[in-house]
Amino acid sequence: MKQIKVGTCIPGTKAMDWIPHMLDIGCETVGINFHMSLGGVDLKELAPKVVGLVDGRAEVGNLGFYCNAIENEDHLKTLHEVIDMASAFKTGVVSTFAGGYSGKSVEDAMPKFKEVFSELAKHAEDRGVKLAIENCPMGGTWNNITCNIGFNPAAWEMMFNEVNSPALGLEWEPAHQMAQLIDPIANLRQWADKIVHIHGKDATVDWDAVKRYGVIGQKPFAYMRMPGFGDVNWRDVFFILHQHGYEGDVCIEGYHDPIYSGDWEMTAQKHAVNYLKWARGGDFTPNPWDK
């Protein structure tokens, strides 16, 4: 059994400035992420710098380009380029969104999803890369998508029926399930074999707000939290992941906690790193009697 490493997500445009600080608080991996564009970053120039910076101290857990390749040809082209660059970052995981047609339903996007992701999955498979679809709704709903149909288990069933590739999987985050009032532990047990990357973001569900105001009213009912501050039992998460042979990392996605962010971001990042390491059982210690 391989120990699951703990790391954190870093914006690709801030990589060289932020990585040293994250290594100093004990991160074992970093996720290099871009949203909707590369922000002027040349991946060919960034890759050796990042690899040199983490060498001997950590690994690059994933390279993320969260985009809408269904609706935007430029995004599709860039996503192919990101897949090509994964090996330069010494990672085998590229994270993204499943895309969708803005304002339309999950079903409306499925034919185009099959076309686009059959092509992307074949490209990834040829290069030994896993594509990980994040389960973030990005403010959308089933019948009113923004840029990602891959947020709900019913959509996953449709997606994997349309594109049956070993290179296509999920980037799973419990907070996104909890914000849909889905039990994350039951969800993880069902879908663990499809998970190729984990986002470490927790959530707190205000059940009193749900009972008083429902889920489409004025009052918020789910708050994004740092691991260790929310409702998820991360010991169960690690247990289930190990049961299913997961050998990747848990990559903390910060910057969302309503209390521990802003001036408290690094405090929360350090807490989350230490908490997740505790939840996995600490650091591997070999049996002295096996020597």
Side-chain angles (χ1 to χ4, degrees), residues 68-78 112 115-116:
N68 190 346
I70 284 178
E71 220 172 22
N72 192 312
E73 285 291 331
D74 288 340
H75 289 185
L76 176 58
K77 179 182 177 183
T78 301
K112 188 66 173 179
E115 175 189 333
V116 167

Side-chain angles (χ1 to χ4, degrees), residues 178-181 204-211 213-223 231:
M178 295 170 72
Q180 300 173 69
L181 300 186
T204 297
V205 176
D206 184 348
W207 287 104
D208 186 59
V210 173
K211 293 172 184 177
Y213 304 105
V215 298
I216 58 173
Q218 180 189 30
K219 302 292 184 180
F221 67 91
Y223 299 90
D231 297 342

Side-chain angles (χ1 to χ4, degrees), residues 97-166:
F97 292 150
Y101 292 118
S102 179
K104 295 187 178 182
S105 71
V106 171
E107 288 92 346
D108 288 333
M110 205 55 64
K112 188 66 173 179
F113 173 84
K114 180 177 182 178
E115 175 189 333
V116 167
F117 277 86
S118 293
E119 173 189 337
L120 286 166
K122 178 63 166 60
H123 187 175
E125 191 174 346
D126 289 345
R127 285 151 182 77
V129 171
K130 299 283 189 181
L131 274 178
I133 304 294
E134 188 183 5
N135 59 332
C136 178
M138 291 298 292
T141 62
W142 188 273
N143 291 309
N144 187 17
I145 294 299
T146 57
C147 59
N148 185 27
I149 62 173
F151 66 91
N152 185 272
W156 302 344
E157 292 174 2
M158 298 167 69
M159 289 159 48
F160 293 124
N161 282 336
E162 295 294 342
V163 183
N164 182 18
S165 168

Side-chain angles (χ1 to χ4, degrees), residues 32-49:
I32 307 300
N33 296 323
F34 299 88
H35 185 81
M36 298 301 168
S37 81
L38 297 182
V41 172
D42 185 330
L43 295 181
K44 291 181 180 179
E45 292 183 2
L46 181 63
K49 294 178 182 178

